Amino acid sequence: MKRTKQNRSSNHRKNKVAKSAQNHEQNQTAESDTEESFQLPRKKVRWEGNSESVAAVANTENGISEDNLNTSKVKFLKEGRVAGAYYDSVRCIVYVLEDTQEDVHFDLTNMLLEQCNADIVLTSSKADDPFISVLQKFAEASGGVFQIRPHKEFTPHRGRDRLLSLPLLSELTTEDTGQLSSDSSSGAEPRNAYEFMQKRKQPAGDPTMKRWNAAIRLANYASVESSPLCISCLGALLDYLARERAAGELDDDAGVEGLHISGIEVLTIDQVMHINADALFSLQIFENESHASIHSDKIKEGLSLFGILDNTRTPLGRSLLRTWLMRPSLSIPVIAARHDAIDCFLHPENLAPASALQTHLKGIKNIPRILGLLRSGKAGVSDWQGLVKFTYHSAMLRDALAELHGGDRVEVVRKLVATLDIASFKDTGNAVNETIDWEESTNNNRICVRPYIDDELDQRKHVYAGLDAVLSKVAEQICQKIPVDYTASLNVVYFPQLGFLICVPMQEEWTTEGGIEVLDGWSFQVILLMIDFVTELRLFSAHVYFKSEEMDDMDMHIGDLHPLIVDREIEIVQELLERILVFSEGMRQACDVCAELDCLLAFAEASRAYNYCRPQMSEDPVIDIDQGRHPLQEQVVDIFVPNDAQLVAGIGFSDSAESQTEVDNLPMCSSIVLCTGANACGKSVYLKQVALIQYMAQVGNRSDFVPAASATLGIVDKIFTRIQTRESVSKAQSAFMIDLNQVSLALRNCTANSLILLDEFGKGTIPAGSIIVDSYLSIDGAGLFCGVIKHLLNRGSQCPKVLAATHFHEVFQKDMLNPHKFPIMFFHMQVLFTSSNGNNLNPGDVSISEDLDSTDHERLEPTFIAAPGEKITYLYRVSPGLSLNSHAAQCATMFGLPSRIAQRAQYVSKLLGDHELGQLLEEKMTAEEQENIKAAGIATYKFLAMDLTNDSHEQDIKTRLAKALGRAPHE
């Protein structure tokens, strides 16, 4: 009988490796019903009487002092976002920090804590450990109280309920409603269910209506609807204040409704610009696009400012660039230093070194993440290779920096040269490369050690490598000892942690009731069955494993080789890791500076590719842009027409002369620029391009060049927009209400250094049943628009910079926004009309110098009716003056609306301007009906011309009336 011998194979070997590297990852346990509090010299909190103000009493060495209590709540999640809420007990105002991106160094958190200087800091039990450490260190340094609250207090749903319960939002005052309170219903008791419900609504208010009012008014104070972390923070803060108030007034169970909150304001960090989610969306700072495949939920960056600036080569650089775009800087020295760096990289002699820097930056991996994986023992082969590449490319970066012309004057270059410890990094890279066997590690999917590193390990690997021959020889010997009819073939195999086993194929007779036959001296170990998961039937084409005396001897003398090899390699790698971690902090700092260098090189590349210029930053609150361009619009058109822009903050009523003298080298300009023009002529693009140029000049904690021929820019601390309306069925608000919320937010939070964009604010507000007054419709939107402009002008020296576009042409008449009386600069976007024979037609634009008080209404009417062959050409050029016609009919014809509809619209518009709406009624009348109306009109004029003041007999009056009506006296 032929007996076959099979060598051990990978199918019979289970590589079960128990890694013994230390795991420093700590599991966080959320205790929802307990409170963990780190208390330093604890401050006792009390509420004083009915004033509902908060004070803190602290016992100090010098005696007892009372300080104002400031309570701050901050929360941080693993996605790298942070939000906060802060209560000022002196002003009874709650400040909110909307959800924003945070870096690994918690720079924004530290700035927030230092600016608020809170006495009590609260956070969630599920916050990250490093974040909690930052809060705890601040509390220890400031002598405050730090509490970790249960996570159930930090839920968006709970926070929203607390917010909607605030009287500030839910209760409308008499001034808000515009109604007078009734005294008649205050004393009498209700006599029926109807009176009971009415009385319930009068003093206490309908709860449903209160919540609806609060939901509508919330956006007037802060844009927190799109910030779930911020809403969670507000809920936890209000709960804490309510508990402290209840502790001071034991008989008070009003809860959050009993808190005296006089206002909610957006918390602005002193060092960075405030720009909310609506402004980021309107200006297209970020733009996420879905994947082309419907089967993928991945997103990519679309046409956005981040997309055209993102020429970064490192993952840390990309993350840092996004952080900078979220928080533009307010520091002129920092901005100027980064401008110097971009200037250096753009120098013709530095093109090659800058390109070399970007090439080597590609080799800089995410070292902080790699070091974290190394500490936890989860690092793979690619992570170790990334560490070696970092050590190599860091040395190459150092050499490329030396080739930069004028690099010694650039701050980021000096910082990187000082940070790169090339000798230590080189030793680290050599140590890793000399220890790890890359080929074997890739094949085995674990970290393997090179030969000649450890003699004991080499010995075990040598034995392990020759194990095939040993197993084959032992299998031959066993085959000679067993009965011939026992099995046709057998193998001797090795399983890590199980040892050496005899493998015998499953015999058919062993599947019966008799079971498996075990030879003398053998012991049954395990059977491996194959199961058909479709039919759930066992397939007995499996193997049975036995132990024998020979197997026990091999276990004793050879041992469990694979775990021993793996354990020894882990020990060697752990020793290597301990040597590497000594330089971990230096590596982290080098990566941070490399990320900063990567961003600045990306800015330089974008500036070179798109012809950006260096802006001149000024201490004055000015915007002076020469030949400015929209950084995104110019990417999608063949030719972009650049335009100028000039604004100076602080020029309002009675302040224009004084403020103008403070700014030199600028033509006469104002704080408010109002742009008019035809539909689709580029007004919105012009507004956005000015804001984007200002924004790009202050990007991040660093700065960027701008798309313009030249620019002199002051610092803008906040940007507010009313450009795009993001409607949603989840919001109990119409499009116009959302617009009002955006404008209200801007008016409440803007300063003299802010920039506000108003694009067609108030449109779509023609009320039903409007009447004609002085040839203009009574439009609520026009009144709101004028009210906002005048309110900003009334701020005088605190008037912010405002860019507005409107189609409310009637506001430039009748002393509403008269250019001769208001410190406003008026511009319009030029258009050109050509007739069918090629002649230019006057579009009806008006310069400021013309007399707008004239009663000649031809200026407000369409200058002509668009005939076939006539067309409109957009010049996209900003010029001084007004355009008192939107040319809607011509634009409608140009974009596909049938010409007969456009001509009809022009005809009706002319009748509106001439007060001749009656002609529309005459169109369907017969000739007889028109004659009757004409006769009635004549009779009316005659009757109005009659003099009825003379003392006359009744008969004479009747005769005169009959004559006026054209009737005989007897009729």
Side-chain angles (χ1 to χ4, degrees):
M1 180 179 294
K2 183 179 179 181
R3 307 188 180 201
T4 61
K5 301 175 289 297
Q6 298 181 3
N7 296 335
R8 62 182 179 84
S9 64
S10 59
N11 295 330
H12 293 151
R13 180 178 299 149
K14 297 180 180 179
N15 299 323
K16 299 180 180 180
V17 181
K19 297 183 179 180
S20 61
Q22 293 182 353
N23 189 342
H24 295 278
E25 182 180 7
Q26 299 179 352
N27 297 325
Q28 299 180 0
T29 303
E31 299 180 0
S32 59
D33 299 326
T34 61
E35 173 188 344
E36 183 180 355
S37 177
F38 298 93
Q39 299 186 5
L40 306 157
R42 184 171 180 83
K43 299 183 178 181
K44 301 179 182 178
V45 180
R46 61 182 176 87
W47 292 79
E48 297 181 351
N50 297 326
S51 65
E52 298 184 349
S53 63
V54 187
V57 180
N59 293 326
T60 63
E61 296 179 357
N62 298 329
I64 300 178
S65 64
E66 289 192 1
D67 299 321
N68 293 325
L69 174 67
N70 299 323
T71 303
S72 173
K73 204 291 317 165
V74 187
K75 181 183 179 182
F76 180 81
L77 290 185
K78 292 184 179 179
E79 286 76 8
R81 300 184 67 81
V82 67
Y86 162 72
Y87 177 69
D88 185 353
S89 62
V90 177
R91 301 177 59 194
C92 297
I93 292 179
V94 173
Y95 297 89
V96 295
L97 176 68
E98 300 171 11
D99 295 11
T100 186
Q101 196 72 23
E102 178 61 296
D103 55 29
V104 295
H105 304 292
F106 303 102
D107 293 335
L108 181 63
T109 302
N110 288 320
M111 286 190 291
L112 173 64
L113 293 173
E114 292 173 1
Q115 181 172 326
C116 296
N117 194 23
D119 296 315
I120 299 175
V121 182
L122 312 176
T123 192
S124 168
S125 59
K126 286 191 176 181
D128 290 347
D129 287 343
F131 179 71
I132 292 178
S133 299
V134 172
L135 301 183
Q136 186 177 357
K137 290 178 181 178
F138 169 79
E140 291 175 353
S142 63
V145 177
F146 173 52
Q147 294 183 3
I148 299 180
R149 303 296 305 174
H151 179 65
K152 65 181 182 181
E153 297 183 6
F154 292 82
T155 58
H157 178 74
R158 182 168 179 166
R160 181 177 175 83
D161 287 342
R162 300 298 186 270
L163 273 175
L164 299 185
S165 300
L166 284 178
L168 172 69
L169 302 176
S170 61
E171 296 180 0
L172 297 179
T173 62
T174 303
E175 181 181 356
D176 294 329
T177 58
Q179 301 176 356
L180 297 176
S181 59
S182 175
D183 298 333
S184 60
S185 61
S186 60
E189 292 292 332
R191 292 174 296 177
N192 50 44
Y194 176 77
E195 290 187 1
F196 172 78
M197 293 301 297
Q198 290 295 100
K199 192 173 184 65
R200 177 172 178 258
K201 292 182 179 181
Q202 291 295 333
D206 184 9
T208 303
M209 183 60 67
K210 280 187 172 184
R211 290 182 63 85
W212 189 84
N213 291 336
I216 296 301
R217 301 181 70 196
L218 177 59
N220 295 347
Y221 295 89
S223 302
V224 298
E225 288 290 346
S226 58
S227 302
L229 297 185
C230 183
I231 293 181
S232 303
C233 297
L234 278 168
L237 176 62
L238 295 176
D239 279 341
Y240 178 84
L241 295 176
R243 285 195 303 270
E244 294 299 326
R245 182 174 184 272
E249 301 177 8
L250 299 179
D251 58 342
D252 192 318
D253 59 350
V256 173
E257 296 182 3
L259 294 176
H260 177 62
I261 305 294
S262 62
I264 301 175
E265 297 183 7
V266 176
L267 180 61
T268 304
I269 305 300
D270 294 337
Q271 295 92 337
V272 297
M273 177 194 293
H274 169 76
I275 180 167
N276 60 13
D278 287 333
L280 290 173
F281 176 77
S282 298
L283 299 179
Q284 284 184 263
I285 305 301
F286 303 100
E287 184 73 25
N288 290 331
E289 288 185 356
S290 300
H291 195 275
S293 173
I294 61 174
H295 303 289
S296 175
D297 57 354
K298 295 181 179 180
I299 59 176
K300 64 177 182 178
E301 191 68 28
L303 180 63
S304 64
L305 183 63
F306 176 73
I308 66 173
L309 294 180
D310 184 21
N311 299 311
T312 55
R313 267 58 173 182
T314 66
L316 288 178
R318 180 182 175 86
S319 176
L320 184 61
L321 177 60
R322 180 176 288 272
T323 302
W324 288 358
L325 287 174
M326 294 288 290
R327 297 194 294 272
S329 176
L330 301 181
S331 173
I332 291 182
V334 171
I335 292 175
R338 294 335 185 253
H339 282 163
D340 293 340
I342 299 177
D343 261 343
C344 176
F345 298 144
L346 289 177
H347 197 278
E349 297 182 6
N350 290 332
L351 295 181
S355 178
L357 288 173
Q358 289 185 307
T359 300
H360 294 303
L361 281 172
K362 290 182 180 180
I364 305 297
K365 306 302 180 182
N366 191 346
I367 296 301
R369 184 190 68 84
I370 291 176
L371 292 175
L373 293 175
L374 292 176
R375 283 193 175 93
S376 64
K378 298 179 180 179
V381 178
S382 60
D383 298 319
W384 285 95
Q385 290 175 339
L387 181 62
V388 174
K389 290 180 180 179
F390 165 76
T391 60
Y392 168 76
H393 288 287
S394 61
M396 300 303 295
L397 279 174
R398 179 65 179 84
D399 296 338
L401 290 174
E403 299 177 5
L404 279 175
H405 177 73
D408 55 340
R409 297 189 297 270
V410 177
E411 179 184 354
V412 68
V413 174
R414 295 196 302 267
K415 189 189 303 183
L416 186 56
V417 170
T419 305
L420 291 176
D421 188 357
I422 301 301
S424 301
F425 294 169
K426 185 177 181 180
D427 292 342
T428 299
N430 291 336
V432 174
N433 201 38
E434 293 172 357
T435 302
I436 297 178
D437 189 332
W438 303 113
E439 183 177 358
E440 185 180 354
S441 299
T442 303
N443 295 334
N444 294 332
N445 197 25
R446 62 180 179 84
I447 306 303
C448 298
V449 178
R450 290 181 182 271
Y452 311 112
I453 299 297
D454 183 80
D455 294 338
E456 181 183 355
L457 178 63
D458 293 343
Q459 175 94 20
R460 292 173 180 172
K461 285 188 174 182
H462 178 73
V463 175
Y464 189 79
L467 200 57
D468 286 343
V470 175
L471 296 179
S472 299
K473 186 175 181 179
V474 173
E476 292 178 359
Q477 295 175 357
I478 294 176
C479 287
Q480 300 296 329
K481 296 180 181 179
I482 64 174
V484 176
D485 57 351
Y486 184 74
T487 180
S489 63
L490 63 81
N491 297 326
V492 175
V493 298
Y494 166 71
F495 284 120
Q497 299 182 3
L498 294 180
F500 297 91
L501 299 173
I502 299 174
C503 176
V504 178
M506 173 67 74
Q507 305 298 317
E508 187 174 342
E509 58 270 18
W510 292 353
T511 61
T512 61
E513 295 181 358
I516 299 174
E517 180 182 357
V518 181
L519 298 177
D520 293 339
W522 288 19
S523 61
F524 171 74
Q525 296 295 312
V526 66
I527 180 173
L528 296 182
L529 300 177
M530 299 179 61
I531 299 177
D532 188 346
F533 289 98
V534 178
T535 60
E536 296 185 356
L537 297 177
R538 293 182 178 181
L539 305 178
F540 288 97
S541 57
H543 295 81
V544 183
Y545 296 88
F546 301 92
K547 279 283 188 181
S548 67
E549 184 177 353
E550 293 85 355
M551 300 300 103
D552 293 335
D553 291 341
M554 294 178 66
D555 290 338
M556 178 71 65
H557 293 90
I558 299 178
D560 197 357
L561 283 177
H562 190 272
L564 293 175
I565 293 173
V566 172
D567 290 345
R568 182 54 187 159
E569 286 181 331
I570 290 177
E571 292 175 0
I572 296 174
V573 172
Q574 185 65 27
E575 293 174 359
L576 173 65
L577 178 60
E578 292 175 357
R579 293 165 53 192
I580 293 174
L581 293 180
V582 175
F583 310 105
S584 61
E585 188 60 31
M587 293 181 183
R588 289 179 184 273
Q589 294 178 2
C591 284
D592 292 339
V593 182
C594 286
E596 182 179 339
L597 175 66
D598 192 15
C599 291
L600 294 175
L601 286 170
F603 290 157
E605 183 177 349
S607 300
R608 186 184 305 109
Y610 306 128
N611 192 26
Y612 292 168
C613 78
R614 174 174 181 168
Q616 180 65 38
M617 305 308 297
S618 172
E619 296 286 349
D620 297 321
V622 300
I623 294 179
D624 182 16
I625 301 172
D626 180 28
Q627 299 294 296
R629 311 185 307 276
H630 193 292
L632 303 180
Q633 188 73 17
E634 69 174 349
Q635 304 298 319
V636 296
V637 296
D638 296 331
I639 300 176
F640 186 89
V641 179
N643 286 295
D644 302 341
Q646 292 87 28
L647 291 97
V648 178
I651 300 181
F653 287 132
S654 73
D655 291 302
S656 57
E658 293 83 349
S659 300
Q660 185 66 43
T661 58
E662 298 176 1
V663 182
D664 300 328
N665 303 322
L666 280 181
M668 291 298 296
C669 56
S670 66
S671 298
I672 300 180
V673 169
L674 205 156
C675 187
T676 57
N679 289 283
C681 65
K683 299 186 298 295
S684 299
V685 172
Y686 177 69
L687 267 61
K688 292 179 184 179
Q689 93 178 26
V690 175
L692 280 171
I693 290 174
Q694 178 70 56
Y695 181 84
M696 292 174 66
Q698 298 179 226
V699 160
N701 289 329
R702 317 298 181 250
S703 60
D704 189 14
F705 280 28
V706 297
S710 64
T712 301
L713 304 171
I715 294 296
V716 168
D717 60 354
K718 303 174 185 178
I719 294 180
F720 299 99
T721 62
R722 204 323 305 157
I723 296 179
Q724 289 179 281
T725 303
R726 292 191 291 178
E727 298 183 64
S728 173
V729 294
S730 62
K731 296 181 179 179
Q733 297 171 301
S734 65
F736 182 61
M737 294 174 70
I738 296 175
D739 293 350
L740 290 175
N741 284 334
Q742 293 176 347
V743 175
S744 176
L745 180 67
L747 296 181
R748 291 176 185 273
N749 295 279
C750 68
T751 66
N753 292 323
S754 300
L755 176 62
I756 301 177
L757 305 183
L758 300 176
D759 189 8
E760 297 188 28
F761 170 62
K763 61 183 178 181
T765 55
I766 300 178
S770 299
I771 61 174
I772 300 175
V773 181
D774 291 338
S775 79
Y776 299 111
L777 287 177
S778 174
I779 301 178
D780 295 338
L784 287 172
F785 176 74
C786 290
V788 170
I789 296 299
K790 289 186 177 180
H791 169 78
L792 294 171
L793 289 173
N794 285 332
R795 295 191 177 192
S797 61
Q798 296 300 311
C799 179
K801 296 181 283 289
V802 181
L803 285 164
T806 185
H807 287 290
F808 292 138
H809 304 124
E810 58 270 24
V811 302
F812 308 122
Q813 301 278 332
K814 305 303 179 184
D815 294 331
M816 295 179 71
L817 290 180
N818 194 314
H820 302 293
K821 299 181 180 179
F822 284 76
I824 300 176
M825 293 187 66
F826 293 88
F827 292 95
H828 71 280
M829 305 296 293
Q830 292 183 339
V831 294
L832 180 66
F833 284 92
T834 55
S835 61
S836 56
N837 56 8
N839 296 328
N840 294 338
L841 301 175
N842 178 24
D845 295 335
V846 182
S847 67
I848 295 178
S849 61
E850 296 185 37
D851 184 11
L852 293 180
D853 293 330
S854 173
T855 58
D856 181 11
H857 297 294
E858 288 296 320
R859 201 175 288 114
L860 303 177
E861 298 171 359
T863 309
F864 56 92
I865 304 271
E870 296 178 350
K871 64 178 182 178
I872 182 174
T873 302
Y874 297 111
L875 302 181
Y876 303 111
R877 187 167 56 237
V878 176
S879 295
L882 291 171
S883 175
L884 299 185
N885 197 323
S886 295
H887 309 295
Q890 291 87 342
C891 296
T893 304
M894 179 180 178
F895 291 106
L897 196 69
S899 59
R900 58 182 180 83
I901 297 179
Q903 293 176 6
R904 174 66 177 178
Q906 286 183 310
Y907 173 70
V908 174
S909 178
K910 185 177 185 301
L911 294 180
L912 284 172
D914 290 342
H915 291 185
E916 297 291 343
L917 281 178
Q919 295 185 20
L920 296 177
L921 301 176
E922 298 175 2
E923 291 180 351
K924 296 184 178 180
M925 290 183 180
T926 62
E928 181 180 357
E929 290 174 338
Q930 292 181 8
E931 288 294 330
N932 292 336
I933 290 178
K934 183 177 180 180
I938 294 174
T940 302
Y941 282 118
K942 289 182 179 180
F943 173 75
L944 293 176
M946 291 176 59
D947 184 8
L948 302 179
T949 58
N950 295 332
D951 296 335
S952 303
H953 294 289
E954 181 180 355
Q955 186 64 28
D956 294 337
I957 295 176
K958 290 183 177 180
T959 303
R960 294 168 63 187
L961 286 174
K963 184 177 180 182
L965 294 175
R967 298 179 181 179
H970 65 275
E971 295 179 352

